[in-house]
Amino acid sequence: MSGDGKPSPDKRGGMGALLASIRVLFGNPAIRLILRSATIDAECIYDDRRVRAPIIYHSLAAYSGVNITGCPTTARFLSIILNNIIRLGVRLMKGDEEEVRKALMDPAVRRGITLVLKGLGLYGVTVPQELPAPFLIVWNFTNMCNLRCKHCYQRADKPLPNELSLKEKLMVVRQLDEAGVAAVALSGGEPTIHPHFYTVLHEIARRGMYAAVATNGWVFADIEKLRKAKDLGLRYVEVSVDSADPKRHDWFRGVPGAWERAVKALENAVKLDINHAMAVTITKANIDEVEDILDLAESIGVKRVVFFNFVPVGRGRDNIWLDLDPLEREEFLRTIYKEMSRRKGMEIVSTAPQYGRVALQLSGGEDIAPTHFYVGGDPVVKAVAEFVGGCGAGRIYAGIQPDGTLIPCVFLPIPVGNLREKPFWDLWVNSPLFKLLRDRDKLWGMCRTCPYRNICGGCRARAYAYFNDPMAPDPGCIYNIKYWNKIREEVAERYKISIVTRHR
């Protein structure tokens, strides 16, 4: 550390260095053989609790300083070897070892790194990296909702008659745990108004997965409800705010008073020191108020703003005029990258996979912003970004519908099977659609030939929405403007609208 408490200039971020060293060292055939041996499960004792997990997971726990006993001899032996390799890699990349140890104290982080290492052991180095289970599951917990949002991918309203029972929900949580999933985000509909919400939330957290919720904020405007969720293990809350203007937000969300309660929920998250974000769906209805929205976030004390790509699915298909054209999206992505440089201490990201490419271009190759999170100012960020690989539908994340149907992404509702009928692991490994989505060589158009395809790949949900083909070009990208121009008139004619009209 330097005298002012900042990392020394010759030191890199610990986790960035760890991921980069993993990619370099574990690509070696001899080391990969060791790694493959460590992908098998073993049972160890954590304090007085028995934990069955891959040897890799136990190794990472031991590296972080967790007290582990009772491991089989093979597991102990492989752990020593793996930890020495990791220690060497972090040092070679000039990473902060103490930061790595601290991060790996978190079971959810250990799960995520275990997935990367297990993927390397089983599949070798792939670009983007193939994983044995998703980092993240977004679970449409219920179709029940108290708002009527114009872009809702679920057309959420009333609960569906065939939604999972509580027993079935707990069965799903167990399957995700056993598969090694690192994080589960409950979405909807509106998950917080469902009577099973707190029970399932606690079960996710109890099993060591990162428990998150995406909400309209109505319930969590009551600080005691949010406090209860935090006490049960909630670690991240994402509250939707789609305008700095209360009237605009309420118009978009379909219910008066929605803005006030969403803002209050974020204020409560700040007060309770829960990791949080303001979620904004960027459309023609709010593209003119990006700075105002960021000002609002700053005034609340929000440290993270996520701008969601608009995808014309569900009710969004009825309001397809809201979609940005490629020029608007490009200008917007450049704007938020520059805003993050200006607003110190605020993380500003976009789910548009093109954001990784924009950050790389604007920074002269120094920064990359992988979809959904930001990594900047570190020479190893390209390796990190290639692990993530832009759009991760069916590759690093998946969605679950209220009835247990597994889909690649909540915005890409193509069923691959139902968890009532087939185990999650079976569907994740064997689904033909998932296998297709994991192969960037199967893309067509500019998304296949683009030099940035391994850090972007285009939004597969938008490709499907516009072309009925998940491997088609993403028409929202500036490099695919010819496809946008081709479909623009067809869409306008089909819906009898002008898709360039702005809402005023």
Side-chain angles (χ1 to χ4, degrees), residues 42-264:
E43 192 172 88
C44 299
I45 300 172
Y46 288 57
D47 296 324
D48 295 324
R49 184 170 58 93
R50 291 186 176 276
V51 175
R52 186 169 185 80
I55 292 172
I56 296 167
Y57 179 89
H58 299 311
S59 173
L60 295 172
Y63 182 89
S64 72
V66 174
N67 184 34
I68 307 172
T69 59
C71 295
T73 302
T74 302
R76 293 199 304 271
F77 176 70
L78 287 172
S79 289
I80 292 170
I81 295 174
L82 286 176
N83 286 344
N84 283 331
I85 294 170
I86 290 170
R87 191 173 291 111
L88 172 65
V90 174
R91 288 176 181 173
L92 286 174
M93 293 292 172
K94 298 182 179 179
D96 187 334
E97 283 190 80
E98 188 55 36
E99 180 187 314
V100 174
R101 288 193 189 93
K102 186 176 179 181
L104 291 175
M105 288 289 292
D106 185 336
V109 174
R110 290 200 296 271
R111 282 173 170 268
I113 300 299
T114 297
L115 285 175
V116 172
L117 287 168
K118 196 171 179 180
L120 286 166
L122 294 174
Y123 313 118
V125 175
T126 62
V127 182
Q129 187 59 49
E130 187 173 351
L131 302 177
F135 279 119
L136 171 67
I137 289 290
V138 181
W139 187 349
N140 290 332
F141 199 66
T142 178
N143 208 60
M144 179 192 308
C145 193
N146 54 335
L147 302 187
R148 299 293 178 270
C149 306
K150 287 182 168 50
H151 67 314
C152 180
Y153 54 80
Q154 283 292 103
R155 295 187 183 274
D157 184 358
K158 298 176 182 177
L160 303 174
N162 61 341
E163 292 188 1
L164 296 173
S165 66
L166 178 58
K167 182 179 179 181
E168 288 172 323
K169 289 186 176 82
L170 295 177
M171 172 271 292
V172 167
V173 174
R174 176 181 56 78
Q175 288 194 25
L176 299 180
D177 175 22
E178 291 174 352
V181 170
V184 180
L186 301 180
S187 187
E190 177 51 44
T192 64
I193 65 175
H194 196 281
H196 297 163
F197 170 69
Y198 290 109
T199 302
V200 175
L201 171 72
H202 179 60
E203 183 66 7
I204 292 167
R206 185 187 72 80
R207 289 178 173 269
M209 291 179 282
Y210 191 86
V213 63
T215 174
N216 59 40
W218 194 277
V219 169
F220 289 158
D222 179 343
I223 195 169
E224 293 308 315
K225 298 284 178 61
L226 183 54
R227 192 191 310 275
K228 178 181 178 180
K230 180 183 179 182
D231 290 344
L232 290 172
L234 179 65
R235 298 185 57 183
Y236 177 80
V237 56
E238 197 169 79
V239 182
S240 295
V241 177
D242 292 300
S243 176
D245 179 345
K247 290 182 179 178
R248 265 197 191 187
H249 175 90
D250 291 355
W251 165 82
F252 191 70
R253 293 278 161 177
V255 174
W259 185 91
E260 184 179 359
R261 295 187 73 91
V263 168
K264 186 65 177 175

Side-chain angles (χ1 to χ4, degrees), residues 368-429:
I368 292 179
T371 306
H372 298 292
F373 62 90
Y374 175 78
V375 181
D378 192 319
V380 300
V381 292
K382 191 171 189 297
V384 177
E386 286 184 347
F387 270 117
V388 179
C391 179
R395 190 178 56 80
I396 63 170
Y397 58 78
I400 299 175
Q401 295 285 44
D403 68 348
T405 297
L406 189 65
I407 54 179
C409 165
V410 293
F411 298 101
L412 185 54
I414 307 174
V416 300
N418 191 285
L419 300 180
R420 281 173 164 145
E421 301 162 2
K422 281 192 176 181
F424 171 80
W425 179 260
D426 185 8
L427 293 171
W428 177 258
V429 172

Side-chain angles (χ1 to χ4, degrees), residues 35-47:
L35 188 60
R36 190 180 184 89
S37 301
T39 62
I40 63 172
D41 284 355
E43 192 172 88
C44 299
I45 300 172
Y46 288 57
D47 296 324

Side-chain angles (χ1 to χ4, degrees), residues 225-495:
K225 298 284 178 61
L226 183 54
R227 192 191 310 275
K228 178 181 178 180
K230 180 183 179 182
D231 290 344
L232 290 172
L234 179 65
R235 298 185 57 183
Y236 177 80
V237 56
E238 197 169 79
V239 182
S240 295
V241 177
D242 292 300
S243 176
D245 179 345
K247 290 182 179 178
R248 265 197 191 187
H249 175 90
D250 291 355
W251 165 82
F252 191 70
R253 293 278 161 177
V255 174
W259 185 91
E260 184 179 359
R261 295 187 73 91
V263 168
K264 186 65 177 175
L266 282 168
E267 291 173 348
N268 289 340
V270 172
K271 286 179 185 176
L272 294 177
D273 195 27
I274 297 177
N275 194 15
H276 61 274
M278 176 187 287
V280 185
T281 300
I282 192 72
T283 67
K284 288 186 184 295
N286 60 7
I287 188 67
D288 59 342
E289 53 172 325
V290 171
E291 290 189 19
D292 292 338
I293 289 170
L294 294 173
D295 287 343
L296 172 64
E298 279 188 327
S299 71
I300 297 169
V302 168
K303 299 300 182 186
R304 188 171 196 257
V305 179
V306 182
F307 286 95
F308 275 77
N309 230 359
F310 174 82
V311 182
V313 63
R315 276 194 211 112
R317 198 158 187 83
D318 301 336
N319 294 287
I320 200 168
W321 64 271
L322 287 165
D323 200 4
L324 303 181
D325 66 46
L327 293 171
E328 288 173 317
R329 183 171 284 98
E330 186 76 5
E331 182 182 354
F332 158 72
L333 293 175
R334 288 172 173 266
T335 296
I336 62 171
Y337 178 80
K338 292 172 183 175
E339 284 290 328
M340 187 163 59
S341 301
R342 187 169 73 85
R343 298 173 189 264
K344 302 302 181 184
M346 178 177 281
E347 187 180 1
I348 306 170
V349 296
S350 173
T351 65
Q354 293 83 13
Y355 192 42
R357 185 257 305 161
V358 168
L360 185 67
Q361 290 173 328
L362 291 184
S363 66
E366 293 183 3
D367 290 353
I368 292 179
T371 306
H372 298 292
F373 62 90
Y374 175 78
V375 181
D378 192 319
V380 300
V381 292
K382 191 171 189 297
V384 177
E386 286 184 347
F387 270 117
V388 179
C391 179
R395 190 178 56 80
I396 63 170
Y397 58 78
I400 299 175
Q401 295 285 44
D403 68 348
T405 297
L406 189 65
I407 54 179
C409 165
V410 293
F411 298 101
L412 185 54
I414 307 174
V416 300
N418 191 285
L419 300 180
R420 281 173 164 145
E421 301 162 2
K422 281 192 176 181
F424 171 80
W425 179 260
D426 185 8
L427 293 171
W428 177 258
V429 172
N430 298 315
S431 161
L433 177 58
F434 284 172
K435 290 179 180 179
L436 182 66
L437 290 166
R438 293 165 192 164
D439 187 352
R440 293 275 163 89
D441 287 336
K442 296 296 194 300
L443 298 173
W444 56 273
M446 185 62 184
C447 283
R448 178 174 180 173
T449 59
C450 179
Y452 300 100
R453 74 172 190 168
N454 289 328
I455 58 170
C456 173
C459 174
R460 299 298 96 219
R462 288 178 50 80
Y464 182 71
Y466 279 106
F467 293 104
N468 201 35
D469 180 355
M471 307 309 285
D474 176 356
C477 177
I478 191 72
Y479 295 158
N480 285 327
I481 197 165
K482 70 176 183 179
Y483 294 104
W484 174 265
N485 291 335
K486 181 179 178 181
I487 65 176
R488 180 176 56 186
E489 296 307 321
E490 295 175 7
V491 170
E493 175 62 26
R494 188 187 317 157
Y495 290 93

